[in-house]
Amino acid sequence: MSQIIPKETFTFFKKLSKNNNRDWFNDHKPEFKAIEAQVKSSYNYLGELMEEHDQIEKIKLFRIYRDVRFSKNKIPYKTHFGGSYTRKKPELRGGYYMHIQPNNESFIATGFWEPNKEDLFRIRKEFEMDDSEMREILNDETFKSTWGNFVGDELKTAPKGFDKEHPAIDLIRKKQFIFIKKYTDKEVLATNFLEDVNSSFKIIRPYFDYMSDVLTTNLNGESLL
């Protein structure tokens, strides 16, 4: 049976954004916990759908409490739900994220947020040697119409040790390898929302297969596992 994101999610977060303080939240905590339970069930349902085409090791729905210790913004609560889906390690790389927020701020994201130094270098060396397979994935019509192009941080010029005139410098200078797909509030509340998210995540698979292959082998193609 399909599950939906309850419309009360958006209603609650809109009220919280106007009353983001501990007294108000504590007074409305039972309402929040009821919504959170339904949303957690929806995140788990999506995980079950994803298990049909991937191996998900862990599903994590992030807490509503903000860590304000090192932030100038001392607002105590997030006004969104966020949850991640971790693939089976070490052979499967990349991750998934779903963000539910009112005012048409919802989105899903996938890819590599902060690759460590070794992984980033390995990816760049792969692009330096041959970027044709990556280009083929990025230019696939279904892939492109669903996910568009990479987003994320990148260097203004070539990384140290790489030629700034290299034909693949647009890929080599990236520091993150992320794709984002946005949703309106109406789309999130639709009965087929989680199925659409699952289909979109499934379409990312050729990219994950490619990156997993790169990150589990050396430059000679020999397995590191």
Side-chain angles (χ1 to χ4, degrees), residues 196-210:
D196 184 86
V197 171
N198 178 58
S199 297
S200 299
F201 281 155
K202 190 174 181 179
I203 290 166
I204 210 76
R205 188 58 183 272
Y207 167 64
F208 273 176
D209 288 348
Y210 168 79

Side-chain angles (χ1 to χ4, degrees), residues 99-135:
H99 184 100
I100 305 298
Q101 184 172 353
N103 302 316
N104 304 314
E105 295 289 338
S106 299
F107 65 89
I108 56 174
T110 186
F112 298 80
W113 282 262
E114 294 180 339
N116 62 42
K117 188 170 67 173
E118 293 76 21
D119 282 355
L120 185 56
F121 182 74
R122 176 69 184 88
I123 292 167
R124 286 171 169 168
K125 291 300 286 184
E126 187 70 24
F127 293 155
E128 182 183 50
M129 288 194 303
D130 180 11
D131 64 334
S132 61
E133 197 172 343
M134 185 76 256
R135 302 283 185 197

Side-chain angles (χ1 to χ4, degrees), residues 10-213:
F10 289 157
T11 309
F12 182 85
F13 280 137
K14 285 176 181 177
K15 287 190 289 186
L16 177 60
S17 66
K18 295 175 182 176
N19 303 277
N20 204 323
N21 61 77
R22 288 179 176 81
D23 288 342
W24 187 91
F25 184 79
N26 286 336
D27 287 344
H28 295 82
K29 197 167 185 178
E31 180 187 352
F32 170 74
K33 296 305 285 185
I35 293 167
E36 183 185 46
Q38 292 181 67
V39 170
K40 188 168 188 177
S41 177
S42 296
Y43 272 78
N44 288 335
Y45 171 73
L46 175 60
E48 291 171 14
L49 296 179
M50 292 166 67
E51 279 284 354
E52 294 175 11
H53 57 84
D54 205 344
Q55 296 179 67
I56 303 301
E57 199 169 58
K58 183 180 177 184
I59 301 172
K60 182 176 182 181
L61 183 65
F62 299 116
R63 300 171 77 227
I64 194 171
Y65 306 99
R66 293 184 65 249
D67 184 354
V68 299
R69 290 174 299 169
F70 309 107
S71 174
K72 290 180 181 177
N73 181 356
K74 298 300 181 183
I75 289 174
Y77 305 105
K78 300 171 188 171
T79 52
H80 67 266
F81 281 115
S84 64
Y85 299 81
T86 305
R87 305 180 78 214
K88 185 174 180 290
K89 297 290 186 291
E91 62 270 34
L92 303 181
R93 299 298 183 89
Y96 307 93
Y97 174 79
M98 183 165 70
H99 184 100
I100 305 298
Q101 184 172 353
N103 302 316
N104 304 314
E105 295 289 338
S106 299
F107 65 89
I108 56 174
T110 186
F112 298 80
W113 282 262
E114 294 180 339
N116 62 42
K117 188 170 67 173
E118 293 76 21
D119 282 355
L120 185 56
F121 182 74
R122 176 69 184 88
I123 292 167
R124 286 171 169 168
K125 291 300 286 184
E126 187 70 24
F127 293 155
E128 182 183 50
M129 288 194 303
D130 180 11
D131 64 334
S132 61
E133 197 172 343
M134 185 76 256
R135 302 283 185 197
E136 193 176 326
I137 292 166
L138 293 174
N139 291 325
D140 176 81
E141 282 187 28
T142 304
F143 189 99
K144 204 172 186 67
S145 65
T146 304
W147 289 103
N149 294 312
F150 280 126
V151 297
D153 296 340
E154 57 181 51
L155 299 170
K156 289 188 171 66
T157 185
K160 187 177 179 181
F162 290 86
D163 179 7
K164 66 181 180 189
E165 303 298 330
H166 193 284
I169 194 61
D170 60 315
L171 296 174
I172 291 169
R173 70 177 186 225
K174 292 189 180 299
K175 297 195 290 184
Q176 297 176 308
F177 302 91
I178 307 165
F179 295 97
I180 288 177
K181 180 180 179 183
K182 297 180 179 180
Y183 287 90
T184 65
D185 291 0
K186 185 179 178 181
E187 288 169 333
V188 172
L189 298 179
T191 55
N192 67 335
F193 169 65
L194 295 171
E195 283 75 13
D196 184 86
V197 171
N198 178 58
S199 297
S200 299
F201 281 155
K202 190 174 181 179
I203 290 166
I204 210 76
R205 188 58 183 272
Y207 167 64
F208 273 176
D209 288 348
Y210 168 79
M211 292 290 259
S212 295
D213 185 53

